[in-house]
Every structure is written in C-alpha cells, then in structure tokens.
C-alpha cells in the first residue's frame, strides 16, 4: 500500500469506525454477537489469498463477516465484565503509534517514546493521588504487571537468587498471600514465578468480600512455624466479582512487620482513585511496593494499556535488566531504558494514546464520567433494594452491582439455574449484556456500569429488561 493508497483507504476506514460508533450510540445493534462457534471459520477461505484484493473488498467483509461476530463492548448497554476504555482519541493515538512504526528497544531507538511514557505515567500517578516516589511504566496487561511484581518479590526475598541457582538452589519455600476473591491472574503469576500452587494462600474473606486481616496473620504464623518463608501479599483494590477493597493500611502494616512485598491489584478499581472522594478506599496505598491500574478498563484508554507503578525502580531494573552489546548506548546512564522495567524488549508507543486522550478530554471530563457511572450504579442499587424479590448480594462499592432475583419457593440449585437462565436470556435477546459470576458459592448476576456511552436512560432500560427476563424465567422454571 502506497502512502496515497493509505490516505484513501485510511479515510474510508476512519469513516467506517465513526459510523460504527454512531450506530452503537443509536443503540440499534444487538449487544451480544449473533454467531455460533465456527461460523466465521466456515465463512473464510482455508488458504491465504495468493494475490491482493482491492481494500474496498476488505472493508465490505468487515461489515459482512466481522461485525456479526462482535460482542460490542463499547455499546451503551454493555454491562458485562468491566468497562473497556475505547475513547476515539485513544484510537487515534494507537493509529499514530502504528503509523510511526517505532519500537522502543532503548531510549535512543526512539527518545520520544520513552520520555512521553515517563511524563504520562507521572501524570497518571499524580491524577491517582499517589506520591512522587512512585515511578511508572506501561505494560500490556495487569496480568503481566502482577507477574513482574511477584518476580520482584521473589528476588527481594532471595537476595537476587535468579542470578545464582534460582528457585532450584534449595532454601525455604516462599509463600504468596492473596484473597480468595483475587483475580485469577494473581494465582497464575505466582505459579509462573515459580512459587508453586502449594505456596499460594487464598485468605478468607470478611462479610464484605475483603481479605480478613486475622486470617492473613494466622496464615503467616502457620507458615513460619512450618519452616516456610512468607514472601508477598497481593491486595486487591476492586475485586473482579464485587469490586471489594481489601484494607490496604492494615495489610501494609503486616507486610512491613513481616518483611513481605505488598503488591496492589487495582486493575479495575484503581481508576476510581482519580476521584479524591474515593481515595479512602485504598488508604495506606503509599506503603505498597508495587501497584497496577489499567487505564484500558474504566479510564477510557483503548486496550492495551496497563500502568505499573513501583516504589523502588532500581530493584525492578536489577531484576529485569538485560544488557547485550547491541543495545548499549552512550546515554544509558542518563535515561530510562524501559526494556529493563518489564518482560518484553520491544515496546509499542502506548503513551501516545494516554497523552492524546488526556489532552483532548482533560482530567475533569474523565472524573465527571466516573462520577456519572457511580451515580448510575447507586440509582440501580436503590431500585433493586426497593423491589422484592430482588436482592443485592454484595455492598455497592463502585460501579458494579451483584444481584439476584429470588422468587420464594426455589431452593439454592433452582435459584442458581434461574439466575443463569434470565441473565442468558437478556444476553441472547441482544438488549443488553451481563456476566454472571459465583460469589460466596452461589451464582449472581453482575451489572458492571461504565461504558463511555452508558447514560442513566440505558441503566433504566436495563432494569426493565432485568425484571421482564427474571419474571419470564421464574414462570418457566
Ligand atoms: C482485579 C483484576 N485484576 C486483573 C485483571 C486482569 O486484567 P488484564 O486483562 O489487564 O490482565 C482483571 C480483569 O478483569 C481484574 O478485574
């Protein structure tokens, strides 16, 4: 494709994306994809084209083949999983990143890539109300950031054992503590970092699904008595199922006393800390060793964009650094080389989409949108609370509700089946999209509010849909 062909195809594609977003805003598309397993595979040729085709044909197939296979995360009635950032400014930022086609192997390979990342991660840190002693780096996902955190914890506890025999050098087994509601990425990170499933403790929860402090302390005591070495605690600021906030200050006090690394997973809930009125929810955060917050969730930035913040960048660099001759430059002592702040060597220019989005929207508009979502969640909670036989099964902390419709006379198994049936019925209807989850051993329906296009009217429409679907399911069940 020549630059001139790109100009024409690019204009057409931007036009297509704009029209797609307009269609989403109009609310006419079904939220959930309308395809079955294998439909797209069957519609595509088995072999790659031998000769090029006009770009218009590709564009036509986007509409004909791809869109029907999309569950529309940016739809105003998307209430599944978590809000996914997709600001159109950040779409443009990604386009520039790819258009420039640079790769940040080191500062010299693209100085602006490094320095814009340094500036925008500082901006985000400040917007989150965190102290200047934290330094940030952009990763692809929270899963990668939490993995890096646990490797750093392991290396601190073993005095950089990886540079010797690693975990195969003997020594007391290291233990990681997290809550029973921690995201699955934490256990995965612990397993991949070599701790072993036997050394990952899922600490019991209190009545509000937060990590229980006495249970954490008891687990540490038991492990020490058994000759194990407590190494790290991972607290969650906004659990996936209910957005519960583990109590950071007392956990940090335990971590400090016991010499544990404290990593805070604020992948989703951390976004709320742009609002000063929410910061009490992670009081004590300044004592964390590392924090992850995903701007690609509730902060409007397009996937992928995960902010990893550390208190001791020198430790991170010592654990992660590689220094082959072909990457060395005379500037190395004066600059950041972000390849030493995470796993990949090559890095995209992710900071562009943050920079552009913040300049286009301003932090005030993002805060206003967060407050709008919190208010919409409070409204829905009030409707549920006032309407029997609906029940909220977890406190409303941020923008996620966990609800059940509990008609009298159904036993636990029947209620679980009912919950999944009416939720699935809404998804299949295309009217809205919700994700059920298991909380305290029972199926509940999560309503996660915060798609950029979701206004109060969409939440009111969802509530109507929920009542209709639950009534129909109860009558059928
Ligand atoms: C609390 C929490 N942590 C981590 C993750 C994983 O995020 P990522 O997809 O960026 O790895 C999620 C995703 O839902 C989450 O809710």
């Amino acid at each position: 494709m020549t630059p001139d062909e790109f100009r024409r195809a690019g204009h057409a594609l931007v036009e297509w994306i704009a029209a797609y977003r307009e269609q989403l805003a109009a609310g006419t598309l079904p939220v959930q994809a309308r395809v079955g397993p294998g439909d797209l595979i069957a519609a595509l040729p088995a072999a790659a084209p031998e000769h090029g085709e006009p770009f218009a044909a590709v564009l036509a197939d986007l509409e004909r083949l791809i869109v029907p296979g999309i569950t529309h995360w940016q739809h105003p009635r998307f209430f599944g999983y978590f809000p996914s950032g997709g600001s159109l400014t950040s779409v443009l930022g990604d386009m520039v990143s790819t258009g420039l086609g640079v790769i940040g192997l080191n500062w010299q390979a693209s100085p602006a890539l490094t320095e814009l990342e340094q500036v925008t991660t500082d901006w985000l840190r400040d917007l989150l109300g965190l102290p200047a002693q934290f330094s940030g780096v952009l990763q692809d996902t929270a899963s990668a950031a939490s993995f890096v955190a646990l490797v750093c914890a392991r290396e601190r506890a073993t005095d950089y054992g990886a540079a010797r025999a690693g975990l195969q050098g003997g020594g007391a087994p290291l233990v990681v503590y997290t809550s029973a509601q921690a995201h699955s990425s934490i256990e995965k990170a612990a397993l991949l970092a070599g701790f072993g499933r036997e050394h990952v403790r899922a600490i019991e929860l209190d009545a509000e699904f937060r990590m229980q402090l006495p249970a954490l302390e008891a687990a540490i005591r038991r492990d020490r008595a058994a000759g194990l070495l407590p190494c790290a605690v991972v607290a969650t600021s906004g659990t996936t199922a209910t957005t519960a906030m583990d109590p950071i200050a007392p956990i940090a006090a335990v971590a400090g006393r016991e010499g544990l690394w404290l990593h805070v997973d604020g992948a989703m809930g951390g976004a709320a800390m742009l609002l000063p009125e929410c910061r009490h929810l992670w009081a004590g955060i300044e004592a964390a060793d590392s924090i992850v917050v995903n701007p690609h969730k509730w902060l409007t930035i397009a996937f992928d964009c995960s902010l990893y913040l550390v208190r001791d960048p020198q430790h991170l660099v010592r654990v992660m650094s590689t220094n082959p001759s072909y990457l060395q430059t005379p500037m190395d002592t004066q600059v950041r080389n972000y390849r030493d702040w995470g796993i990949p060597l090559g890095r995209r220019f992710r900071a562009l989409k943050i920079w552009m989005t913040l300049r286009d929207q301003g932090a005030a508009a993002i805060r206003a949108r967060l407050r709008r979502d919190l208010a919409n969640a409070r409204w829905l909670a009030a409707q549920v609370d006032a309407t029997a036989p609906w029940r909220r099964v977890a406190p409303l902390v941020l923008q996620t509700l966990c609800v059940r419709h509990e008609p009298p006379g159904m036993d636990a198994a029947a209620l679980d089946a009912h919950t999944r049936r009416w939720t699935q019925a809404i998804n299949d209807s295309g009217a809205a999209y919700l994700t059920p989850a298991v909380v305290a051993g029972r199926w509940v329906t999560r309503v996660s509010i915060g798609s950029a296009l979701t206004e109060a009217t969409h939440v009111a429409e969802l509530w109507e849909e929920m009542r209709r679907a639950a009534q129909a399911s109860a009558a059928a069940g």
Side-chain angles (χ1 to χ4, degrees):
M1 187 175 270
T2 65
D4 197 47
E5 286 164 343
F6 173 77
R7 182 172 290 119
R8 271 177 279 123
H11 279 280
L13 193 60
V14 166
E15 188 50 53
W16 184 86
I17 294 172
Y20 169 70
R21 292 296 182 102
E22 281 168 354
Q23 211 181 348
L24 286 184
T28 47
L29 286 171
V31 190
Q32 184 180 255
R34 287 279 164 97
V35 291
D39 282 359
L40 180 61
I41 295 170
L44 292 171
E50 192 61 26
H51 302 287
E53 302 169 46
F55 190 73
V58 181
L59 208 50
D61 279 353
L62 261 184
E63 193 70 44
R64 186 175 68 89
L65 298 175
I66 303 299
V67 171
I70 296 292
T71 294
H72 303 283
W73 283 63
Q74 304 301 325
H75 196 292
R77 290 191 306 274
F78 181 91
F79 300 100
Y81 313 107
F82 49 83
S84 166
S87 84
L88 286 170
T89 334
S90 66
V91 172
L92 294 177
D94 260 351
M95 191 194 267
V96 178
S97 168
T98 312
L100 291 173
V102 295
I103 299 182
L105 302 182
N106 56 21
W107 179 88
Q108 188 174 266
S110 199
L113 184 154
T114 300
E115 295 193 5
L116 194 66
E117 183 158 334
Q118 204 164 325
V119 169
T120 52
T121 54
D122 281 357
W123 282 3
L124 289 173
R125 175 202 61 206
D126 296 347
L127 288 173
L128 291 166
L130 290 167
Q133 78 225 51
F134 284 97
S135 306
V137 56
L138 298 176
Q139 312 264 15
D140 55 358
T141 57
S143 302
S146 293
F147 172 70
V148 168
L150 288 185
V151 170
C152 286
R154 184 193 76 197
E155 290 307 292
R156 194 173 76 179
T158 59
D159 193 20
Y160 303 97
R164 301 185 304 277
L167 288 182
Q168 311 204 58
L174 306 175
V175 188
V176 175
Y177 305 83
T178 192
S179 99
Q181 282 284 314
H183 188 260
S184 57
S185 59
I186 303 305
E187 188 187 39
K188 185 170 179 176
L191 300 195
L192 296 179
F195 290 87
R197 185 167 272 125
E198 287 174 15
H199 305 122
V200 182
R201 306 276 173 264
I203 302 299
E204 293 88 333
L205 307 164
D206 67 13
E208 300 195 351
F209 307 105
R210 299 170 300 199
M211 189 189 292
Q212 244 189 59
L213 208 70
L216 171 65
E217 291 177 302
I220 293 171
R221 264 196 313 275
R222 269 197 308 275
D223 286 332
R224 286 210 193 278
L228 308 180
L229 190 59
C231 171
V233 54
V234 181
T236 309
S237 286
T239 57
T240 308
T242 72
T243 65
M245 297 274 173
D246 288 337
I248 304 294
I251 293 173
V254 172
R257 196 174 64 230
E258 300 282 346
L260 307 188
W261 184 280
L262 172 58
H263 175 59
V264 176
D265 176 2
M268 159 61 208
M273 308 311 165
L274 255 75
L275 305 178
E277 66 268 29
C278 287
R279 290 191 191 141
H280 67 97
L281 293 169
W282 73 358
I285 189 69
E286 55 289 342
D289 291 289
S290 54
I291 306 167
V292 62
V293 176
N294 279 353
H296 72 223
K297 286 194 160 74
W298 196 17
L299 277 186
T300 83
I301 311 291
F303 190 85
D304 54 8
C305 189
S306 184
L307 171 67
Y308 181 57
L309 292 152
V310 291
R311 212 147 41 85
D312 182 358
Q314 274 161 8
H315 174 69
L316 174 64
V317 168
R318 180 160 171 194
V319 173
M320 291 286 149
S321 73
T322 48
N323 205 15
S325 54
Y326 48 84
L327 293 177
Q328 292 169 13
T329 71
M331 276 71 82
D332 283 350
T333 54
Q334 304 162 51
V335 296
R336 279 191 194 173
N337 279 321
Y338 274 124
R339 70 168 185 276
D340 296 338
W341 290 54
I343 302 163
L345 165 59
R347 318 186 71 255
R348 282 155 42 68
F349 203 159
R350 284 197 188 88
L352 277 168
K353 56 187 166 188
I354 299 176
W355 184 59
M356 289 189 177
T357 300
L358 285 174
R359 290 190 63 183
D360 177 52
Q361 298 186 19
I366 298 176
R367 284 193 210 97
R369 205 173 54 69
L370 295 172
R371 290 190 176 110
R372 173 202 68 179
D373 298 339
L374 293 171
N376 284 341
R378 282 195 298 272
W379 177 85
L380 184 58
Q383 310 312 305
V384 170
D385 291 350
T387 315
W390 289 89
R391 189 168 73 84
R392 280 193 299 122
V393 299
L396 178 65
V397 183
L398 297 175
Q399 44 53 267
T400 303
L401 285 91
C402 291
V403 301
R404 270 159 71 92
H405 177 259
E406 301 184 332
M410 283 193 188
D411 64 13
L415 273 175
D416 274 354
H418 170 61
T419 302
R420 299 184 75 184
R421 193 165 53 234
W422 70 255
T423 310
Q424 191 61 41
I426 291 182
N427 291 352
D428 290 345
S429 76
Y433 190 82
L434 300 162
T435 36
V438 174
V439 172
R442 303 253 58 100
W443 281 97
V444 306
T445 300
R446 287 171 74 257
V447 182
S448 174
I449 296 171
S451 177
L453 293 172
T454 303
E455 299 293 347
T457 50
H458 303 109
V459 180
E461 286 161 13
L462 170 71
W463 174 229
E464 244 181 75
E465 251 344 289
M466 286 166 66
R467 282 178 296 166
R468 190 167 30 238
Q471 245 159 40
S473 164

